[in-house]
């Protein structure tokens, strides 16, 4: 089991019971969702729980890296369907997954429940169909939400955005701020999906079933999204746990679905400190041939060394590098290193890495924050335009490419971060956040405490009352919390906000107060 950097300790003050029950976990079958689910699985395993991962055959996890888990797959036709789906409509494939997986998942879960007692089911927020199955089979479901709290809040405004016609506004209005959520511009909302109604339907289903769950785990930390946490706690009346960044406990490398090219580390070893632009757009995004060519020109024109992950299939209609501008590789020579996939966390942690040009998937964003690497942002779809606004306008740890992919703008944005004085302020802000991450994961820190509360208040409780029906479990939990509050047991009471008024903190978007409902 691979850990990354200075992994925080996972030893509680209380002894771990020798035999704990099984937890069944079910990720959404995409890299950005599998990574945090397996990181959480490793954390729970370290606490003595037995882990079974249910998964689709499509994007099946690499089991050899997890000999301590049990894996159970069910058949699906997703690999046949995925390439026929609209590229910029994430709702399309999640809708398909949520309808086609119901029966095989139920059969698989029922079989496992017949074998031995199980503490709870933990499934990805996007796999909303699992709540009904969990209710039917009378097992508590916890949700893992793999995006930011800010995304959770902003997605709540999508129905209003549709009613007010923001998705249909002409280009002239793209720069206008959305009145209900001024951080976002109209063009950000439009970028979320090419099929707004499909996206709204997906988000509504996902949020309703999260509200019906027994609790929600977010891969974030309280100090990063204080005011968003407050809103989420008000909107989702179930226990909320902010345990992240999960990647600080266990690296994403063990769950990589694509082989990571490790030669990049020796290439980075030959580069000067903080001199390299690292470029990667994650596992899902696709770009056009002309966008790819603008990227290439923009990178070359900076004159700076770059490490570029070009995932096969990222350029629509190309196998790999065929669409590069003529003689590009000869022109950039040793200054450029292009690979298909790499050990991203290690790259970000490498002293030679100076900035990360990213699509702002939530894992990539957290990984960049954890290593203190400033970002150049090119969000493409779903939560990415929302995350990018937080990165650039709230936390002020990056620069946004406002107008897509255009070589001059690309070159200028990279130079703002890497060379200009502006970059110093951005680096200072991200170092401040990096320190907050480390604090939140140490004994007494917010994420560390939240994990303890999840373990003792919830997972243990589920174990005790496994045979009792769901309704009774929920009553029991409320009673326990009532008792703990009455008794002044601070481990079980609500968190007070951490003082972040050190003068150096990046601005927060909302006015923050306390966090009723967060653990
Ligand atoms: O060469 C590479 C490039 C990436 N990664 C890893 O792949 C993951 C990528 O995750 P993420 O940055 O979240 O991007 P996506 O793969 O695009 O993730 C999907 O899932 C995320 C979590 O819900 C969302 O935030 C994104 O918008 C959605 O596209 C990260 O852990 C990276 O470390 C590698 O290991 N090697």
């Amino acid at each position: 089991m691979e850990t990354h950097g200075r992994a925080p300790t996972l030893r509680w003050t209380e002894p771990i019971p020798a035999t704990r029950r099984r937890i069944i976990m079910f990720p959404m079958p995409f890299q950005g969702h599998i990574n945090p689910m397996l990181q959480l699985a490793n954390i729970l395993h370290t606490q003595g729980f037995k882990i079974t991962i249910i998964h689709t055959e499509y994007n099946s996890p690499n089991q050899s890296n997890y000999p301590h888990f049990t894996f159970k797959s069910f058949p699906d036709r997703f690999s046949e369907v995925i390439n026929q789906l609209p590229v910029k409509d994430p709702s399309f494939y999640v809708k398909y997954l949520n309808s086609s997986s119901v029966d095989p998942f139920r059969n698989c879960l029922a079989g496992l429940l017949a074998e031995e007692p199980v503490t709870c089911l933990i499934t990805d927020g996007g796999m909303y169909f699992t709540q009904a199955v969990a209710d039917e089979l009378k097992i508590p479901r916890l949700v893992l939400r793999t995006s930011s709290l800010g995304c959770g809040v902003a997605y709540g405004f999508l129905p209003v955005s549709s009613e007010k016609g923001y998705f249909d506004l002409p280009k002239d209005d793209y720069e206008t701020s959305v009145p209900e959520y001024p951080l976002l511009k109209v063009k950000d909302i439009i970028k979320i999906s090419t099929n707004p109604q499909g996206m709204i339907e997906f988000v509504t289903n996902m949020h309703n079933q999260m509200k019906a769950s027994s609790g929600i785990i977010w891969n974030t930390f309280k100090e990063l999204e204080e005011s968003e946490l407050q809103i989420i706690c008000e909107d989702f009346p179930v226990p909320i746990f902010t345990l992240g960044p999960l990647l600080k406990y266990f690296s994403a490398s063990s769950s990589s679905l694509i082989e990571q090219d490790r030669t990049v580390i020796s290439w980075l070893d030959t580069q000067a400190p903080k001199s390299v632009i690292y470029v990667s757009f994650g596992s899902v995004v696709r770009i056009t041939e002309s966008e790819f060519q603008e990227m290439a020109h923009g990178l070359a024109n900076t004159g700076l060394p770059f490490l570029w992950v070009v995932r096969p299939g990222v350029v629509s209609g190309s196998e790999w590098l065929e669409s590069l501008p003529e003689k590009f590789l000869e022109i950039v020579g040793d200054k450029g290193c292009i690979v298909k996939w790499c050990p991203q966390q290690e790259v970000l942690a490498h002293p030679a890495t100076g900035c990360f040009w990213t699509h702002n998937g939530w894992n990539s964003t957290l990984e960049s924050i954890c290593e203190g690497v400033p970002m150049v942002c090119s969000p493409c779809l779903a939560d990415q335009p929302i995350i990018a606004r937080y990165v650039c306008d709230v936390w002020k740890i990056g620069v946004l490419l406002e107008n897509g992919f255009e070589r001059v703008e690309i070159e200028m944005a990279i130079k703002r971060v890497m060379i200009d004085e502006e970059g110093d302020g951005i680096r200072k802000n991200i170092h401040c956040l990096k320190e907050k991450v480390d604090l939140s994961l140490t004994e007494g820190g917010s994420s560390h405490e939240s994990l303890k509360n999840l373990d003792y208040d919830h997972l243990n409780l589920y174990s005790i009352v496994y045979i009792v029906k769901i309704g009774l479990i929920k009553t029991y939990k409320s009673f326990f919390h009532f008792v703990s509050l009455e008794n002044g047991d601070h481990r079980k009471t609500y968190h007070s906000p951490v003082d972040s008024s050190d003068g150096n903190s990046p601005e927060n978007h909302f006015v923050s107060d306390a966090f009723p409902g967060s653990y």
Side-chain angles (χ1 to χ4, degrees):
M1 197 189 313
E2 195 175 343
T3 57
H4 181 69
R6 297 171 304 283
T9 173
L10 277 164
R11 209 175 312 113
W12 305 152
T13 40
E14 294 87 346
I16 298 167
T19 49
R20 288 206 174 179
R21 286 176 193 256
R22 189 165 290 283
I23 294 177
I24 299 178
M25 307 177 83
F26 179 47
M28 193 187 271
F30 299 107
Q31 186 74 76
H33 294 255
I34 290 171
N35 288 358
M37 186 64 85
L38 289 175
Q39 285 160 347
L40 178 63
N42 264 335
I43 293 169
L44 296 172
H45 181 264
T46 318
Q47 297 314 300
F49 290 98
K50 290 177 261 177
I51 303 293
T52 294
I53 308 286
I54 299 183
H55 61 93
T56 53
E57 284 173 352
Y58 172 77
N59 274 349
S60 151
N62 183 352
Q63 300 184 19
S64 61
N65 287 338
Y66 300 92
H68 48 307
F69 296 168
T70 306
F71 287 84
K72 192 97 185 154
S73 69
F74 63 81
D76 63 279
R77 286 184 47 240
F78 202 51
S79 35
E80 291 163 44
V81 178
I82 187 123
N83 289 329
Q84 301 159 19
L85 301 176
V87 177
K88 294 208 170 174
D89 177 15
S91 68
F92 207 101
Y93 42 69
V94 283
K95 205 171 158 189
Y96 175 82
L97 271 173
N98 273 282
S99 58
S100 66
S101 307
V102 179
D103 290 337
F105 176 80
R106 187 200 292 110
N107 294 342
C108 187
L109 182 60
L112 291 169
L113 293 177
E115 283 172 17
E116 64 177 311
V118 170
T119 295
C120 67
L121 174 70
I122 304 182
T123 67
D124 192 290
M127 305 305 275
Y128 51 79
F129 80 91
T130 56
Q131 185 60 50
V133 178
D135 289 346
E136 185 188 327
L137 298 178
K138 299 182 176 36
I139 177 162
R141 171 194 180 224
L142 284 175
V143 174
L144 172 64
R145 188 69 185 103
T146 58
S147 189
S148 67
L149 289 163
C151 165
V153 178
Y155 274 3
F157 287 100
L158 289 184
V160 174
S161 301
S162 170
E163 280 158 30
K164 298 213 168 167
Y166 300 152
F167 287 101
D168 307 315
L169 288 171
K171 276 212 161 108
D172 289 351
D173 292 319
Y174 276 17
E175 296 302 323
T176 313
S177 284
V178 174
E180 293 79 10
Y181 205 94
L183 177 65
L184 299 180
K185 294 184 176 182
V186 166
K187 65 182 179 186
D188 301 323
I189 296 278
I190 286 173
K191 207 177 255 185
I192 289 172
S193 175
T194 50
N195 174 6
Q197 286 320 314
M199 193 67 188
I200 289 167
E201 195 187 317
F202 160 60
V203 167
T204 306
N205 283 332
M206 175 170 70
H207 282 187
N208 285 345
Q209 298 314 315
M210 283 162 69
K211 288 172 189 171
S213 75
S214 298
I216 309 167
I217 298 165
W218 294 80
N219 185 15
T220 189
F221 60 107
K222 190 173 82 172
E223 292 79 358
L224 184 67
E225 303 190 272
E226 294 198 31
S227 34
E228 290 72 20
L229 177 58
Q230 184 183 356
I231 295 167
I232 290 290
C233 287
E234 282 161 12
D235 287 356
F236 291 78
V238 292
I240 304 284
F241 304 92
T242 49
L243 308 187
L246 300 172
L247 65 104
K248 287 292 282 182
Y249 295 97
F250 294 97
S251 158
S253 286
S254 345
S255 48
S256 189
L257 297 168
I258 308 175
E259 195 183 341
Q260 297 178 324
D261 186 337
R262 298 199 56 82
T263 61
V264 297
I265 302 297
S266 39
W267 181 82
L268 282 170
D269 288 343
T270 64
Q271 306 299 321
K274 301 217 179 306
S275 66
V276 174
I277 311 155
Y278 170 58
V279 191
S280 171
F281 284 1
S283 65
V284 174
V285 157
R286 281 188 233 167
I287 55 172
T288 64
E289 206 172 286
S290 69
E291 289 172 333
F292 183 62
Q293 288 170 349
E294 288 301 306
M295 284 181 80
H297 286 296
L299 277 173
N301 293 348
T302 64
L304 297 167
F306 61 86
L307 166 57
W308 188 2
V309 172
V310 181
R311 189 188 81 243
V314 70
V315 185
S316 297
S318 290
E319 287 285 318
W320 194 36
L321 300 179
E322 312 89 89
S323 316
L324 277 177
E326 217 178 313
K327 299 214 166 98
F328 178 80
L329 293 175
E330 290 120 86
I331 292 165
V332 296
D334 289 345
K335 279 222 152 139
C337 175
I338 304 183
V339 294
K340 292 180 175 168
W341 199 245
C342 76
Q344 177 165 298
Q345 266 182 260
E346 281 176 63
V347 166
L348 289 168
H350 197 285
T353 303
C355 85
F356 183 11
W357 182 7
T358 169
H359 69 309
N360 288 116
W362 186 234
N363 296 289
S364 292
T365 305
L366 283 177
E367 288 162 15
S368 215
I369 290 173
C370 288
E371 298 305 339
V373 177
M375 286 165 261
V376 171
C377 304
S378 286
C380 295
L381 52 92
D383 54 353
Q384 299 154 19
I386 303 160
I387 296 169
R389 283 287 166 209
Y390 275 89
V391 165
C392 300
D393 298 345
V394 180
W395 306 320
K396 301 187 191 305
I397 54 175
V399 165
L400 183 63
L401 281 163
E402 292 276 358
N403 303 306
F405 297 84
E406 197 280 315
R407 66 187 77 178
V408 176
E409 204 190 326
I410 291 168
E411 180 189 345
M412 279 167 55
I414 291 173
K415 286 182 171 168
R416 277 170 68 192
V417 173
M418 294 284 280
I419 297 168
D420 297 355
E421 216 175 295
E422 187 183 355
D424 295 336
I426 292 174
R427 267 182 291 282
K428 205 168 139 209
N429 288 340
I430 200 159
H431 277 286
C432 170
L433 278 186
K434 179 176 160 27
E435 280 169 19
K436 287 190 177 184
V437 172
D438 295 338
L439 275 178
S440 80
L441 292 161
T442 50
E443 186 79 42
S446 69
S447 290
H448 193 270
E449 286 298 297
S450 200
L451 185 52
K452 272 164 85 172
N453 289 335
L454 167 69
D455 195 9
Y456 286 105
D457 291 0
H458 292 267
L459 299 181
N460 283 336
L461 185 59
Y462 293 151
S463 294
I464 297 162
V465 294
Y466 172 74
I467 42 163
V468 186
K469 289 190 176 177
I470 297 285
L472 193 50
I473 289 171
K474 284 183 176 165
T475 317
Y476 201 60
K477 275 164 55 185
S478 313
F479 171 72
F480 259 56
H481 279 286
F482 176 74
V483 169
S484 68
L485 289 168
E486 289 284 291
N487 291 342
D489 176 348
H490 292 294
R491 189 173 54 76
K492 290 174 182 166
T493 54
Y494 304 127
H495 280 163
S496 63
V498 171
D499 178 22
S500 58
S501 56
D502 56 6
N504 294 322
S505 308
E507 278 173 30
N508 245 324
H509 179 55
F510 296 101
V511 181
S512 169
D513 201 310
F515 304 100
S518 120
Y519 293 77

